[in-house]
């Protein structure tokens, strides 16, 4: 599904290149649940951003579902990730001025999905996440765990083939974190959604079936997990 | 999506109520001034456009120097009456040519049955073809025959209702008394015309047909002046026609001058005059007055002011919107990640600007409705908004303004917002990518430049106005009234006024403030020719005015020659002629009459201070001057002259029962001359106050954001030991620099602008310094106060809260 070949990312400052990522080559298959681990500043988030097409690599090849992403124009790229990628953030990043239902609706609007279908999909997702009663609340009226649920619901409603999650439980208490991780696992196993998460937690990493460890911009380890 | 964006926009507005109010309110104020101006411009630009047929109507203008303010040639709206006949005969393009003029003086007296006479202004005396040229709609009567007979009158509907209480007045008669001793004519009303929907340059209350306009003077040497209007079959190229007209006019003048025993060359070339005759489309008549500036030139300063005010409010809008954009950064970042195109985001923020602009526009419309009556009375115009007959174009203009302001105010913030990089924003460090700082500072500077320039403007205008109000005019304007009538020596009225207790002098002059009639005169002095202004006075006029004698004497009854050939000259004339003039003689007129200078008086102002006093000679005799002055000066010897005026009015009624007496005090005439510059100053004061308030509101809101943005920095500094005062100073410094830069820039700008304004006055002050100092001081002080208010709030906060929040 995803092929990375020799991805490099560096910033040139007064002729000195400071590398964030070096020689990253890997491939991700449909249906995998991958955890990216590593110390702070190792380049985990940058890798995730490159995968999510929010950042461009300085060098290297990135194929997403057989298409060369680096050669695409912005419009095409937006089109691509609009249809295939869902994002989940550590700080949830819900839009404060929108209600729960509106936040979930937002990606569908950009996909130009007709109103009737939008309604049914939102109803469906709210139902699945047990949030029907909260659909007209604003994000600041929810707890952190609930906000992250909305964040995931928003990522899911567009029916992506891959979810990129940047420390999705980083701001949550452990009980809530567990709930979120269970949800990811369920989505991965029951619906076959590819999941890629950045995490600091050894425990959370165990939910997936593959762990990539990055240090100083280089992939140090790539191990499979059997659970 | 539109619905959702709309919702977000409204939620944001409610969330930041204060800023939204400043934004919308500020914009509304700026727009109100602009829309009022727009209405005024619409009104002025719509003169003579009340009927499509008026496209084929032209006004004839002759280039001559009769009855001009400075005795030079002008394109005048009054032409020698014989020209109409010549045009009828020689210019086939003209289907109809009509002669029509408003009467001299302040109006005619109309007497209906036994009622008290009333003065009706703006009565036009026309020949029988008037309604063939002007397509007025007759409500009653028949337009094609209304003016056929002499002694007929056609009334405007409003005037008919005012005089009779009804517009069904055809066939009724009224007595028209055109001057005080006129016996009066019984006029038959033959028609009532509808008031047109737009203003008219030849506005009239009634059109009379006396029959006098049909004829030209019998004697070839005398001339009669009248307005001439012509109607063509279809629109014509005036450039081509005007060439024909010049030829026709030259031929006519040659023949006329020959008949008068003069030659064309003597009349024109020798005196460096030029012959000229042209037509002007009626629609251009109002915007091209013969002597004064046209309306557009007159309101240019006000146009500039309202544009500046609008700019200030737009700047507020842009500043606040970009400053506020930090709050929206996350929304932009998330939306981008969810797959929004930049274009969609720009559109979203433009729609938000549009909502605010639209709200501002609604408030504007309310404000305009509220302010219109006082605005109209201030500018002596009848403006209307909803009831305007060109409401559609006005609404179209408002829509254009709406789109323009939305784009102007919304485009830059929209671009700034849509540009946020989602990766940075979502990581939470978007504050470092806080854009548009330099531009916003620039805009604050621009705002303050405008505000400070306004304040300096007030100061300079105030100085000049008080200088004018207190300037020695060279004559005494107290206890002096001017009755609109002539002074005839054997006039029983004048004789009776002289006998009234409290009356010191009764006199007349062709030159008094409020009604000046300058007559050019050529004189030969020391074998040199001079063009000089001649004023005819009665013996008592100069003492009545209270002029100051510099050398020699003024007229007095003891000197018999004073009624024959004595002249008094003013200082300006003395400067022109030389030194030691008293006792010297000069010659003037075709008979080479000899005049002797008996005295020199100090210049006295009889027009507004924009005009310098002309070199003038004053004489008592009728030789070469007119006594047809329509000024009767009455000077009283005490301050309680109201009862004396009552007695004068009673005397008037005895002598002239059919014509009401009209008078003004010379003091009022003087105030009237001051009015235009006073009016401009009032507007500048109003605009300055608004612009300063708007600028401060902008600064206030901006400093709030700035303080918020630096919360963390302030907290850290505080932990490191900074005192509250030091923190306030720190926040003040950045704004203070901006205000000082603005002051430095506005000094030269204000200097140039106010100097230009002062140069319009022949009598003016030196450029004062203190308005500059005061403007700078005020702007700095209020800027510091404004910013400190916010800075203090930020500085006294507990640093722990700020850091915890991060």
């Amino acid at each position: 599904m995803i092929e990375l070949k020799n991805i490099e990312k560096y910033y040139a400052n007064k002729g000195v290149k400071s590398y964030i990522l070096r020689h990253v080559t890997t491939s991700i298959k449909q249906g995998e649940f991958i955890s990216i681990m590593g110390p702070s500043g190792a380049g985990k988030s940058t890798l995730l951003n490159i995968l999510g097409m929010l950042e461009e690599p300085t060098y290297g090849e990135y194929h997403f579902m057989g298409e060369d992403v680096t050669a695409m124009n912005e419009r095409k790229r937006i089109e691509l990730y609009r249809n295939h990628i869902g994002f989940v953030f550590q700080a949830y990043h819900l839009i404060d001025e929108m209600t729960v239902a509106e936040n979930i609706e937002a990606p569908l609007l950009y996909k130009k999905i007709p109103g009737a279908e939008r309604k049914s999909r939102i109803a469906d997702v709210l139902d699945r996440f047990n949030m029907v009663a909260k659909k007209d609340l604003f994000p600041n009226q929810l707890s952190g765990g609930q906000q992250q649920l909305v964040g995931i619901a928003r990522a899911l409603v567009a029916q992506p083939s891959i979810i990129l999650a940047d420390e999705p439980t980083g701001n949550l208490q452990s009980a809530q974190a567990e709930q979120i991780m269970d949800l990811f696992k369920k989505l991965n196993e029951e619906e076959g959604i590819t999941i890629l998460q950045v995490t600091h937690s050894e425990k959370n990493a165990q939910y997936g079936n593959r762990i990539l460890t990055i240090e100083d911009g280089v992939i140090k380890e790539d191990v499979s997990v059997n659970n | 999506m539109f619905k959702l964006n709309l919702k977000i926009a409204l939620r944001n507005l409610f969330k930041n109520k204060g800023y939204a109010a400043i934004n919308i309110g500020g914009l509304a104020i700026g727009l109100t001034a602009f829309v009022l101006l727009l209405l005024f411009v619409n009104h002025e630009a719509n003169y003579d456009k009340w009927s499509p047929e008026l496209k084929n109507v032209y006004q004839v203008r002759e280039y001559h120097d009769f009855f001009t303010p400075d005795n030079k040639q002008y394109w005048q709206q009054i032409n020698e009456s014989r020209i109409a006949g010549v045009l009828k005969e020689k210019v086939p393009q003209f289907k109809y040519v009509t002669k029509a003029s408003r009467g001299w003086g302040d109006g005619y007296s109309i007497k209906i049955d036994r009622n008290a006479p009333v003065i009706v202004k703006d009565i036009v005396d026309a020949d029988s073809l008037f309604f063939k040229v002007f397509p007025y709609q007759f409500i009653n009567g028949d337009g094609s025959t209304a003016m056929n007979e002499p002694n007929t009158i056609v009334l405007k509907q409003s005037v008919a209702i005012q005089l009779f209480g009804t517009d069904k007045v055809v066939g009724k008669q009224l007595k028209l008394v055109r001057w005080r001793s006129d016996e009066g004519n019984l006029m038959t009303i033959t028609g009532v015309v509808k008031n047109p929907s737009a203003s008219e340059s030849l506005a009239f209350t009634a059109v009379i047909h006396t029959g006098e306009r049909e004829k030209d003077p019998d004697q070839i040497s005398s001339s009669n002046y009248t307005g001439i209007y012509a109607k063509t079959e279809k629109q014509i190229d005036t450039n081509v026609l005007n060439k024909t007209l010049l030829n026709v006019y030259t031929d006519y003048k040659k023949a006329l001058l020959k008949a008068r025993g003069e030659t064309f060359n003597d009349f024109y070339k020798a005196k460096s005059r030029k012959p000229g005759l042209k037509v002007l489309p009626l629609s251009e008549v109002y915007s091209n007055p013969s002597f004064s500036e046209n309306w557009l030139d007159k309101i240019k300063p006000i146009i500039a002011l309202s544009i500046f005010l609008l700019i200030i409010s737009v700047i507020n809008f842009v500043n606040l919107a970009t400053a506020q954009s930090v709050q929206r950064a996350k929304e932009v970042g998330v939306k981008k990640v969810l797959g929004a195109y930049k274009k969609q985001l720009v559109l979203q923020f433009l729609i938000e600007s549009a909502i605010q602009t639209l709200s501002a526009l609604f408030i504007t419309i309310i404000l305009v409705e509220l302010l219109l009556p006082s605005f109209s009375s201030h500018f002596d115009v009848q403006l209307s908004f909803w009831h305007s007959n060109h409401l559609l174009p006005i609404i179209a203009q408002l829509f254009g303004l709406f789109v323009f302001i939305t784009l102007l105010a919304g485009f830059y913030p929209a671009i700034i917002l849509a540009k946020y990089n989602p990766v940075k924003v979502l990581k939470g460090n978007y504050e470092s990518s806080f854009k548009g700082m330099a531009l916003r500072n620039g805009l604050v500077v621009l705002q303050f430049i405008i505000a400070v320039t306004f304040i300096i403007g007030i100061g300079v205008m105030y100085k000049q106005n008080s200088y004018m109000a207190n300037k020695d005019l060279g004559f005494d304007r107290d206890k002096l009234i001017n009755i609109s009538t002539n002074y005839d020596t054997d006039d029983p009225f004048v004789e009776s006024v002289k006998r009234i207790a409290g009356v010191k002098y009764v006199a007349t002059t062709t030159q008094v403030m409020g009604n000046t009639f300058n007559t050019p005169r050529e004189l030969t002095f020391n074998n040199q020719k001079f063009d000089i202004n001649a004023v005819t006075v009665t013996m008592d006029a100069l003492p009545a005015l209270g002029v100051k004698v510099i050398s020699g004497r003024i007229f007095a009854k003891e000197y018999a020659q004073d009624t024959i050939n004595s002249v008094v000259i003013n200082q300006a004339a003395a400067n022109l002629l030389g030194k030691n003039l008293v006792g010297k003689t000069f010659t003037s007129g075709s008979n080479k009459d000899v005049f002797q200078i008996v005295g020199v008086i100090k210049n006295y102002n009889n027009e507004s201070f924009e005009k310098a006093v002309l070199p003038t000679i004053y004489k008592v005799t009728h030789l070469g001057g007119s006594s047809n002055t329509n000024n009767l000066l009455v000077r009283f010897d005490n301050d309680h002259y109201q009862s004396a005026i009552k007695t004068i009015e009673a005397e008037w009624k005895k002598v002239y029962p059919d014509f009401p007496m009209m008078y003004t005090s010379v003091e009022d005439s003087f105030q009237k001359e001051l009015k235009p510059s006073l009016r401009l100053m009032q507007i500048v004061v109003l605009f300055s106050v608004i612009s300063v308030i708007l600028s401060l509101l902008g600064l206030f809101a901006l400093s709030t954001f700035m303080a918020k943005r630096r919360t963390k920095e302030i907290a850290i500094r505080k932990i490191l030991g900074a005192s509250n005062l030091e923190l306030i100073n720190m926040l003040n410094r950045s704004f203070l620099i901006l205000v000082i830069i603005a002051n430095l820039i506005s000094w030269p700008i204000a200097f140039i602008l106010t100097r230009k304004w002062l140069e319009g006055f022949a009598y003016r002050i030196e450029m004062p310094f203190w308005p500059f100092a005061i403007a700078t001081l005020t702007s700095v002080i209020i800027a510091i106060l404004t910013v400190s208010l916010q800075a203090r709030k930020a500085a006294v906060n507990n640093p722990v809260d700020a850091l915890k929040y991060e």
Side-chain angles (χ1 to χ4, degrees), chain A residues 45-46 49 54-55 74-75 78-79 81-82 85 87 89 91 93-99 102-103 105-107 109-110 112 118 138 154, chain B residues 1 4-5 7-8 11-12 15 327-328 330-332 334-345 348 421-423 425-428:
Chain A
S45 293
T46 305
N49 285 338
L54 300 175
E55 273 183 81
E74 199 190 339
R75 214 179 164 80
I78 291 176
E79 202 65 47
Y81 75 68
R82 207 187 242 187
I85 303 177
F87 291 91
F89 303 96
H93 289 327
L94 302 177
I95 297 175
D96 300 329
E97 285 78 25
M98 293 190 191
T99 62
E102 284 165 355
N103 262 296
E105 188 182 13
L109 288 168
Y110 295 117
K112 301 220 161 44
R118 285 207 304 268
F138 285 93
R154 182 178 65 184
Chain B
M1 179 141 53
L4 189 63
N5 282 340
K7 261 197 230 165
I8 294 183
R11 281 172 196 163
N12 260 311
K15 200 164 121 192
Q327 293 190 347
R328 309 293 298 276
K330 192 173 103 180
E331 182 189 331
V332 172
V334 173
K335 280 192 170 169
K336 276 193 168 176
V337 168
L338 294 181
Y341 295 123
K342 215 165 120 185
K343 221 162 69 186
Q344 289 172 312
L345 292 169
Q348 181 199 336
N421 179 348
V423 174
V425 168
L426 297 180
K427 262 187 191 150

Side-chain angles (χ1 to χ4, degrees), chain B residues 264-387:
Chain B
F264 188 76
N265 270 350
D266 277 350
F267 188 79
Y268 284 109
K269 300 267 161 57
K271 293 181 179 167
S272 62
R273 288 185 195 143
K274 273 195 304 195
L277 190 74
K278 66 170 184 182
V279 288
L280 214 59
L282 192 66
S283 58
E284 290 171 24
V285 167
Y286 180 70
S287 54
N288 290 290
S290 295
F291 307 121
S292 53
E293 298 172 295
N294 71 37
W295 62 271
L296 199 61
D297 287 328
K298 269 186 209 153
I299 62 165
K300 255 184 197 157
I302 296 168
I303 294 179
L305 291 180
S306 29
I307 288 175
F308 279 138
L309 204 58
L310 195 60
I311 290 176
I312 286 190
S313 48
V314 168
I315 287 177
N316 257 1
F317 197 97
V318 172
N319 266 348
L320 290 177
T322 44
Q324 233 183 325
S325 68
V326 184
Q327 293 190 347
R328 309 293 298 276
K330 192 173 103 180
E331 182 189 331
V332 172
V334 173
K335 280 192 170 169
K336 276 193 168 176
V337 168
L338 294 181
Y341 295 123
K342 215 165 120 185
K343 221 162 69 186
Q344 289 172 312
L345 292 169
V346 170
L347 195 68
Q348 181 199 336
F349 291 117
L350 275 181
I351 287 170
E352 291 193 12
S353 305
I355 291 170
Q356 300 189 41
T357 312
L358 202 63
S359 331
L361 207 57
F362 273 119
I363 298 174
T364 300
I365 289 170
I366 295 167
L367 284 177
V368 164
E369 276 291 294
L370 289 177
L371 293 175
L372 212 50
S374 51
F375 182 84
S376 292
S377 69
H378 198 91
F379 284 94
D380 296 331
V381 284
Q382 272 308 309
L383 292 186
S384 54
F385 182 50
W386 291 116
H387 311 292

Side-chain angles (χ1 to χ4, degrees), chain A residues 65-135:
Chain A
M65 302 184 95
E67 286 187 82
D68 185 359
V69 175
T70 42
M72 276 178 203
N73 65 22
E74 199 190 339
R75 214 179 164 80
K76 194 86 200 296
R77 230 166 23 228
I78 291 176
E79 202 65 47
L80 194 66
Y81 75 68
R82 207 187 242 187
N83 287 319
H84 296 288
I85 303 177
F87 291 91
V88 175
F89 303 96
Q90 175 177 4
Y92 333 125
H93 289 327
L94 302 177
I95 297 175
D96 300 329
E97 285 78 25
M98 293 190 191
T99 62
V100 166
E102 284 165 355
N103 262 296
I104 296 174
E105 188 182 13
L108 301 180
L109 288 168
Y110 295 117
K111 280 182 84 169
K112 301 220 161 44
I113 287 171
E117 194 187 336
R118 285 207 304 268
K119 284 221 173 62
S120 76
R121 278 215 217 170
I122 294 163
D124 190 38
V125 171
L126 286 170
D127 194 37
R128 232 166 85 197
F129 284 48
N130 279 328
M131 287 191 304
V132 179
K134 299 191 173 69
K135 73 179 175 54

Side-chain angles (χ1 to χ4, degrees), chain B residues 152-214:
Chain B
T152 51
I153 181 167
V154 172
L155 298 174
K156 276 256 177 79
Q157 187 182 19
S158 57
V159 179
I161 290 169
Q162 192 191 324
L163 291 175
F164 292 94
T166 167
D167 57 14
K168 295 188 177 51
V169 291
V170 171
K172 288 192 182 171
Q173 291 196 314
L174 51 80
K175 190 175 175 189
L176 184 81
V177 183
R178 285 183 287 168
W179 59 90
R180 49 170 199 170
S181 54
D182 184 12
E183 305 245 307
N185 289 37
L186 214 52
M187 312 289 276
T188 309
I189 301 170
T190 51
V192 176
V193 293
K194 207 175 155 194
N195 285 58
S197 56
S199 307
E200 312 137 271
S201 55
L202 184 70
F204 62 83
T205 49
V207 182
I208 52 171
H209 180 53
T210 55
E212 283 164 27
R213 284 275 163 253
E214 306 283 346

